[in-house]
């Protein structure tokens, strides 16, 4: 019986080509979206699941009373203290990640590499495979390094690298003690070299022993059955007992390894590869919504021509067919359509996958044989599609009474027709409500991105380029020589220097106070007087630094946030104290808040000081249209003056965009899926409008004979669709408002949920829906009434 039903369903698909095309293409597009999102989500949730005992591995986070965000950085001295006193910790390591391209060379080969300093238990805690070397000994000795396979190949080719030397930052010699497989893509840790933590005793001894320098991330594997909350309290108590005076009290949180990648968007000072659980959740919801739209399309199309289908049902029931046979028939039709749609969706997904990978930065593949998760998910999607898409047509159409259908010549009792019309319109209303929610969300997300990347930054990012000046004892000399060489170039509007630039966190914090009662931490940045001119930042009060005034060496400029914290009526000219200098410093200016990190966080108090020896960045404002020429000039001058250091640069606008890359990719994906949801809704309403207009052909002919114009007929046929969209709009607005209000709560500075966004979204949907049905309405309205009256 089932195969016989499939045959009948296949003949129907061939016979009703437009109906079949709309149904299959709608489902195929919807399912292709679901498959791509499914692959993305699977890749995101797989992070760090490959480690042995991953459920017992944790990262230590902290927060003091002055912070709202969690931090991943700790003093290097903390771990030995707590490790010794807390037996619940089975293994532990410190880790410092440098993702700012350190110079590593071997003979004539030189590359910029990402570094990871860590303790010797690194390969015991994590399941990274060491292909050469002893995992227990490889990171014990100072200046020992383990290379990834690809890094070893870059420097040594096919030679055995064990025992060979690499030079770090033109200063330190490293000995290769091991080679490991490249860090998997599903790891939140990524690096080219893993260096022993003891090497920092030479490279940066403060990172190892100074309680005031918080640079280490701490990971630990706990013993089985350890109570995490109890251990967190013990870590706090231990910290209180071992910390020096002046170090604030802290709360500690143990973050499970499998939550680090997706649940660290609000964690500071970790420099790891991060995803965002909100993005995964949002895209999963979008996939479900698109699938619902596609299924509702199918339901509407399957029951739109129910009067014609009723006669077939009447005959079948008269000849002895049971209701269960008819239900099986319609479910068979849905199964066939869904199988064809899934096959086409897999082809579409495979075609789009390279572009999707390129856009998302992933390398997922559509390998059904080796991906059981995908197979089970497709089976689940197939079952959901059949149940949602096939249930209403099957139960509605099979419920017709054969005697009533045959007697009334395909006319139905008002109760039956009314019930069907209600559900049919409900499907359309839900479809368009989903589309409107997505349109409103797209507008608001775009508006928020504009706010945080352009309006609230406190600087102009366009045409600003930062040349990286390597840290070291000669950095001051390099800066001065290079600055003098380039400042008079006519293609460079302005140039200056700074320790930090927007797009990266302020690295340095110190005590700032006017009295013992008004004392707090503030960030500080060392800059040249030209810094604010290059960024086109505005002074709220006071003046800029002046190199000619010797007193400016002990002067500072503060941002608006710090001025608020000071609570002076007029801070200009006031003397304050900082942890940097024993003598008081004078405030000479107030600059608007320059946003360094993400606008998910509020601006922090920051002050600026002159310091000729700490210019990690030479920033330049260059002429529009002269980018390539100026870049070539800057590179040439750098190589002439500093041949031992490679020319490294970054554009400020790209750096800022990188801070918000998650939001930028999210809005791009939502735009695409919003367009597809509208397209699918329009496909459904287009097909349904065709059936609806066909049923009213004779009515249209009668109205035209009685004097109705084309515009009258258009208004008559379109008003129902407009009414449904208005109902959809009324339902969508509160839902969209709630969702966007929740989303905006993650930002310190929020765009307004303006009424015009909702109004424009509703108007846009009405226009799209009207245009979708108007072509068919216009054709029907233009027909000769004689032909319409003959239609049966």
């Amino acid at each position: 019986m089932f195969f016989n039903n499939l045959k009948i369903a296949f003949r129907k698909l061939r016979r009703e080509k437009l109906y079949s095309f709309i149904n299959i293409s709608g489902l195929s597009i919807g399912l292709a979206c679901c498959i791509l999102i499914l692959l993305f989500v699977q890749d995101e949730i797989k992070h760090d699941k490959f480690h042995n005992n991953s459920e017992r591995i944790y990262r230590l986070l902290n927060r003091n009373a002055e912070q709202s965000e969690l931090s991943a950085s700790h003093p290097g001295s903390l771990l030995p203290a707590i490790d010794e006193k807390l037996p619940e910790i089975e293994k532990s390591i410190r880790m410092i990640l440098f993702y700012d391209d350190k110079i590593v060379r071997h003979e004539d080969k030189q590359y910029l590499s990402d570094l990871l300093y860590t303790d010797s238990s690194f390969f015991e805690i994590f399941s990274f495979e060491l292909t050469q070397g002893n995992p227990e000994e490889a990171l014990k000795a100072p200046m020992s390094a383990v290379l990834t396979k690809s890094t070893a190949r870059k420097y040594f080719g096919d030679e055995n690298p064990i025992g060979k030397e690499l030079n770090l930052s033109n200063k330190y010699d490293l000995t290769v003690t091991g080679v490991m497989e490249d860090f998997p893509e599903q790891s939140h840790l990524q690096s080219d070299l893993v260096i022993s933590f003891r090497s920092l005793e030479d490279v940066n001894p403060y990172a190892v022993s100074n309680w005031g320098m918080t640079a280490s991330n701490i990971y630990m594997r706990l013993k089985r059955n350890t109570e995490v909350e109890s251990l967190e309290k013990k870590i706090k108590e231990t910290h209180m007992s071992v910390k020096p005076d002046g170090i604030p009290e802290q709360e500690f949180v143990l973050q499970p390894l499998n939550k680090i990648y997706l649940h660290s968007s609000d964690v500071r000072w970790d420099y790891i590869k991060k995803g965002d659980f909100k993005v995964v959740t949002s895209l999963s919801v979008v996939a479900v919504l698109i699938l619902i739209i596609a299924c509702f399309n199918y339901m509407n199309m399957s029951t739109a021509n129910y009067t014609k289908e009723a006669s077939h049902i009447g005959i079948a029931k008269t000849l002895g067919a049971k209701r269960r046979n008819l239900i099986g028939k319609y479910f068979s039709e849905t199964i066939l359509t869904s199988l064809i749609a899934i096959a086409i969706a897999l082809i579409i997904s495979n075609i789009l996958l390279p572009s999707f990978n390129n856009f998302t930065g992933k390398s997922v593949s559509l390998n059904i044989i080796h991906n059981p998760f995908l197979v089970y998910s497709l089976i689940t999607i197939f079952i959901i599609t059949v149940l949602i898409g096939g249930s209403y047509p099957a139960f509605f159409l099979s419920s017709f009474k054969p005697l009533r259908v045959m007697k009334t010549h395909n006319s139905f009792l008002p109760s039956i027709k009314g019930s069907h019309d209600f559900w049919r319109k409900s499907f359309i209303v839900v479809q368009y409500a989903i589309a409107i929610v997505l349109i409103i969300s797209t507008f608001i997300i775009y508006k928020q991105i504009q706010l945080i990347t352009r309006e609230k930054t406190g600087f102009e990012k366009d045409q600003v380029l930062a040349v990286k000046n390597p840290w070291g004892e000669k950095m001051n000399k390099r800066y001065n020589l290079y600055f003098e060489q380039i400042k008079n170039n006519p293609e460079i509007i302005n140039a200056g220097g700074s320790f930090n630039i927007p797009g990266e966190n302020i690295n340095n914090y110190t005590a700032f106070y006017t009295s013992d009662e008004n004392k707090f931490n503030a960030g500080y940045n060392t800059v040249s007087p030209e810094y604010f001119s290059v960024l086109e930042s505005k002074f709220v009060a006071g003046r800029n630094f002046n190199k000619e005034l010797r007193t400016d060496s002990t002067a500072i400029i503060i941002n608006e946030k710090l001025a608020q914290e000071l609570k002076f009526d007029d801070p200009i000219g006031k003397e304050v104290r900082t942890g940097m200098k024993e003598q008081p410093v004078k405030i000479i200016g107030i600059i608007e808040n320059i946003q360094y990190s993400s606008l998910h966080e509020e601006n922090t108090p920051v002050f600026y000081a002159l310091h000729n020896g700490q210019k990690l960045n030479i920033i330049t404002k260059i002429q529009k249209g002269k980018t390539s020429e100026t870049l070539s000039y800057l590179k040439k001058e750098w190589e002439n003056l500093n041949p031992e250091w490679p020319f490294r640069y970054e554009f400020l606008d790209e750096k800022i965009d990188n801070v918000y890359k998650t939001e930028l990719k999210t809005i791009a994906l939502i735009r695409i899926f919003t367009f597809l949801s509208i397209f699918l809704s329009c496909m459904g309403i287009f097909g349904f409008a065709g059936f609806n207009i066909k049923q009213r052909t004779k009515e249209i002919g009668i109205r035209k004979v009685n004097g109705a114009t084309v515009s009258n007929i258009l208004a008559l046929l379109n008003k129902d669709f407009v009414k449904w969209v208005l109902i959809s709009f009324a339902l969508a607005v509160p839902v969209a408002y709630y969702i966007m209000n929740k989303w905006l709560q993650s930002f310190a500075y929020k765009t307004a949920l303006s009424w015009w966004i909702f109004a424009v979204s509703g108007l846009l949907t009405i226009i799209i829906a009207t245009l979708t049905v108007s072509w068919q309405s216009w054709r029907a309205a233009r027909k000769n009434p004689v032909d319409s009256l003959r239609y049966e």
Side-chain angles (χ1 to χ4, degrees):
M1 178 63 75
F2 173 71
F3 291 106
N4 187 53
N5 286 337
L6 284 181
K7 271 196 225 175
I8 295 168
F10 183 71
R11 287 174 190 156
K12 183 178 178 181
L13 291 179
R14 288 176 56 190
R15 185 173 64 250
E16 299 178 2
K17 292 183 176 58
L18 178 62
Y19 157 86
S20 303
F21 173 78
I22 293 173
N23 261 345
I24 293 172
S25 58
L27 275 176
S28 300
I29 293 169
L31 291 169
C33 292
C34 290
I35 291 168
L36 291 174
I37 292 174
L38 185 68
L39 291 171
F40 176 88
V41 170
Q42 182 191 18
D43 188 79
E44 291 287 281
I45 63 177
K46 276 171 62 178
H47 274 73
D48 300 308
K49 297 286 178 67
F50 59 89
H51 295 289
N52 297 327
N53 301 306
S54 62
E55 73 284 354
R56 292 195 285 131
I57 301 173
Y58 292 81
R59 179 173 69 157
L60 187 64
L61 305 177
N62 69 76
R63 179 197 293 120
N64 62 42
E66 297 175 358
Q67 294 174 323
S68 58
E69 304 90 6
L70 286 165
S71 169
S73 291
H74 308 268
S77 305
L78 175 62
L79 182 60
I82 63 174
D83 203 13
E84 181 183 342
K85 294 176 181 290
L86 301 175
E88 295 93 334
I89 300 172
E90 190 173 83
K91 290 285 181 182
S92 59
I93 55 168
R94 293 161 294 183
M95 191 184 299
I96 298 180
L97 301 108
F98 287 99
Y99 286 175
D100 54 355
D101 299 330
K102 297 295 181 183
I103 310 283
V104 179
R105 75 170 75 239
H106 172 69
E107 297 176 350
D108 59 338
K109 295 178 180 178
Q110 175 179 279
Y111 299 99
L112 297 171
S113 300
D114 294 334
L115 312 181
L116 189 160
Y117 290 90
T118 188
D119 288 308
S120 58
S121 299
F122 179 76
F123 292 105
E124 295 179 64
I125 291 180
F126 298 112
S127 302
F128 298 119
E129 185 181 348
L130 201 66
T131 57
Q132 288 181 263
N134 184 336
E136 294 179 7
E137 301 292 329
L139 296 172
K140 275 191 175 179
M143 295 301 167
S144 57
V146 173
L147 312 184
T148 62
K149 259 189 177 180
S150 56
T151 304
R153 197 175 298 114
K154 273 197 308 187
Y155 286 106
F156 303 105
D158 295 329
E159 294 180 45
N160 183 358
I162 302 297
K164 292 191 166 58
E165 289 194 343
L166 295 170
N167 183 270
L168 172 63
S169 299
N170 293 322
K171 190 173 182 181
Y172 306 101
D173 289 327
L174 301 170
T175 301
V176 180
T177 55
V179 177
M180 62 180 287
E181 293 287 350
D182 289 354
F183 283 85
E185 284 189 21
Q186 279 79 32
S187 170
H188 73 278
L189 298 172
Q190 298 290 323
S191 188
D192 301 312
L193 289 85
V194 180
I195 304 173
S196 66
F197 200 83
R198 290 186 62 193
S199 306
L200 289 168
E201 293 170 3
D202 293 326
V203 176
N204 188 352
Y206 289 104
V208 179
S209 58
N210 191 314
W211 278 87
M213 184 172 182
T214 55
S216 297
N217 291 185
I218 292 176
Y219 290 77
M220 52 186 72
R221 188 174 72 220
L222 307 184
K223 290 181 179 177
R224 295 186 190 279
N225 304 318
T226 297
E227 289 197 12
V228 172
E229 289 184 10
S230 174
L231 182 58
E232 289 171 348
K233 291 176 183 176
K234 289 183 181 180
I235 293 172
K236 179 181 178 180
E237 292 167 1
T238 306
H239 175 259
M240 287 292 292
S241 67
V242 298
K243 74 178 181 64
D245 293 339
I247 301 296
E249 179 183 345
Q250 292 181 334
E251 298 288 336
F252 290 92
V253 175
L254 287 166
Q255 183 184 34
L257 178 67
N258 58 13
K259 288 192 175 181
I260 292 175
Y261 176 72
L262 284 178
H263 297 268
S264 297
S265 58
D266 57 347
V267 175
R268 304 178 68 196
W269 308 111
D270 53 0
Y271 304 109
I272 60 169
K273 176 185 172 186
K274 294 183 182 182
D276 193 335
F277 184 72
K278 293 191 291 292
V279 173
V280 171
T281 305
S282 300
L283 288 177
S284 301
V285 170
V286 168
V288 172
L289 294 178
I290 288 176
L291 184 61
I292 288 171
I293 289 174
C295 289
F296 280 10
N297 267 355
Y298 179 83
M299 284 191 281
N300 257 333
M301 292 297 295
S302 297
T303 59
N305 199 19
Y306 66 93
T307 54
K308 181 179 177 183
E309 197 68 30
S311 60
H312 298 159
I313 293 167
I315 294 168
K317 283 193 172 184
T318 303
L319 294 174
K322 304 294 184 186
R323 189 181 183 190
R324 65 174 179 271
N325 303 130
L326 295 171
I327 290 173
K329 171 182 175 295
Y330 289 111
F331 268 118
S332 300
E333 188 177 316
T334 306
I335 288 169
L336 178 63
T337 305
S338 299
L339 286 172
I340 295 170
I342 285 178
I344 295 172
L346 287 169
I347 295 169
I348 294 171
S349 302
N350 206 41
I351 293 169
L352 295 177
L353 203 54
S355 300
F356 184 77
N357 279 333
N358 184 56
F359 177 77
T360 58
K362 295 198 171 292
S363 56
V364 297
S365 61
L366 194 59
N367 191 335
I368 296 178
I369 297 173
H370 296 99
N371 192 343
F373 175 80
L374 180 60
V375 174
Y376 296 143
S377 299
L378 286 173
I379 292 170
T380 303
I381 289 172
F382 169 73
I383 292 169
I384 291 171
T385 304
V386 170
L387 290 177
I388 295 178
S391 57
Y392 181 70
F395 289 105
F396 170 72
L397 294 173
S398 66
S399 67
F400 296 157
K401 304 296 182 186
L403 188 59
R404 183 175 293 138
V405 170
M406 304 302 286
K407 272 187 177 181
T408 55
H409 301 286
N410 298 340
S411 64
F412 295 89
L413 290 175
S415 60
I416 296 175
K417 189 175 185 302
S419 173
H420 175 58
D421 285 349
F422 170 79
W423 287 108
R424 180 191 65 183
K425 292 170 185 176
S426 297
F427 297 148
I428 292 174
V429 165
V430 171
Q431 283 178 299
Y432 272 95
I434 292 170
I436 293 169
V437 167
L438 290 174
I439 292 171
I440 293 171
S441 301
T442 302
F443 273 124
I444 292 172
I445 293 172
Y446 177 77
K447 198 160 172 270
Q448 177 67 14
I449 296 299
Q450 289 293 102
L451 173 76
I452 63 179
T453 56
R454 295 188 180 275
E455 297 175 25
K456 282 283 185 183
T457 54
F459 61 91
E460 290 295 328
K461 63 181 181 178
D462 295 334
Q463 299 298 118
V464 177
L465 180 146
V467 177
K468 310 306 287 185
N469 185 18
W471 177 268
E473 56 192 28
K474 294 182 180 179
M475 64 187 299
N476 182 34
K477 182 181 178 181
R478 277 195 301 271
Y479 169 78
N480 289 331
L481 286 173
Y482 192 65
F483 178 76
E484 290 299 319
Q485 188 69 28
I486 68 172
K487 69 177 183 179
N488 295 321
N489 187 301
E491 293 171 352
I492 296 174
I493 300 170
N494 215 327
S498 69
F499 189 82
N500 291 114
I501 57 174
E504 61 191 24
N505 288 310
I506 292 286
N507 293 79
N508 300 303
Y509 283 82
T510 188
F512 194 96
Y513 53 99
T514 55
S515 65
D516 289 339
E517 290 75 31
N518 189 22
K519 188 175 184 179
F520 49 88
N521 276 349
Y524 68 89
N525 192 6
T526 55
V527 299
S528 72
E530 301 86 2
Y531 176 73
F532 302 112
S533 299
V534 175
L535 295 181
E536 298 181 39
S537 299
K538 299 181 178 67
F539 276 84
V540 177
R543 63 175 176 84
N544 197 357
F545 294 114
N546 187 337
K547 285 181 181 177
E548 306 301 321
L549 296 175
R550 294 180 61 186
T551 54
D552 275 10
S553 63
T554 57
I556 62 170
I557 293 169
I558 63 175
N559 71 348
E560 291 175 283
K561 181 71 175 178
L562 183 48
Q564 292 169 11
E565 296 285 343
L566 288 173
K567 300 173 184 174
F568 287 136
D569 291 335
D570 182 9
I572 302 299
K574 297 289 193 302
E575 289 190 340
V576 294
R577 291 183 177 274
T578 75
M580 293 174 62
K581 293 180 181 289
E582 292 183 8
Q583 300 300 319
V585 294
K586 183 182 288 186
I587 299 170
I588 62 170
I590 302 173
I591 195 79
E592 63 183 342
N593 293 324
I594 297 173
Q595 188 70 28
Y596 285 91
S597 56
S598 163
L599 273 166
H600 286 282
E601 307 160 16
E602 287 190 16
N603 279 296
T604 54
V606 176
F607 68 91
Y608 301 87
L610 285 174
H611 195 303
N612 292 328
Q614 292 189 355
K615 304 293 192 311
L616 284 175
N617 301 278
I618 302 104
I619 59 171
T620 60
K621 181 86 171 181
I622 61 180
Q623 298 277 4
K624 283 187 178 179
K626 299 286 185 179
T627 303
S628 58
E629 300 96 313
T630 310
L631 195 56
S632 298
Y633 165 77
L634 290 170
K635 182 179 180 182
K636 179 183 175 184
E637 294 303 323
W638 178 268
E639 290 173 346
N640 288 339
L641 293 170
N642 308 290
E644 74 277 18
W645 296 100
F647 177 70
R648 297 162 55 212
Y649 69 93
E650 54 192 346
F651 285 97
L652 204 55
D653 56 353
E654 293 177 358
K655 191 173 183 69
I656 297 299
D657 287 348
N658 192 53
V659 172
Y660 301 107
K661 62 183 178 182
T662 299
E663 284 85 0
L664 292 168
K665 285 185 178 180
T666 302
I667 189 173
L669 286 172
I670 289 178
R671 276 178 182 166
I672 294 167
F673 293 128
T674 298
F675 169 78
L676 289 172
S677 70
I678 294 169
F679 178 72
L680 289 173
S681 299
C682 289
M683 282 184 69
I685 207 170
F686 179 85
F688 179 73
F691 281 118
N692 191 51
I693 289 167
K694 192 181 288 186
Q695 288 178 348
R696 301 180 70 174
T697 300
K698 187 169 284 189
E699 177 192 343
I700 292 167
I702 293 169
R703 288 180 181 274
K704 289 196 73 175
V705 168
N706 287 317
T709 63
V710 171
S711 59
N712 295 145
I713 301 298
L714 280 172
L716 173 74
L717 296 175
N718 288 354
K719 70 177 183 180
D720 278 347
F721 297 107
V722 173
K723 181 173 67 178
W724 299 340
V725 173
L726 288 173
I727 295 171
S728 301
F729 177 72
L731 294 173
V733 165
V735 174
Y737 182 89
Y738 174 79
I739 292 171
M740 285 294 97
N741 194 45
K742 294 287 284 184
W743 181 76
L744 288 171
Q745 286 176 8
S746 63
F747 293 90
Y749 302 92
K750 307 172 183 64
T751 189
L753 294 173
S754 307
W755 66 268
W756 64 263
I757 295 175
F758 297 88
V760 168
S761 301
L763 182 62
L764 184 63
T765 311
I766 290 171
I767 291 170
I768 292 169
T770 304
L771 290 175
T772 302
V773 300
S774 288
W775 180 72
Q776 294 184 90
S777 303
W778 182 79
R779 284 186 64 199
R782 295 268 298 174
K783 268 188 178 180
N784 189 323
V786 174
D787 296 331
S788 299
L789 290 170
R790 284 178 180 164
Y791 179 82
E792 193 59 62

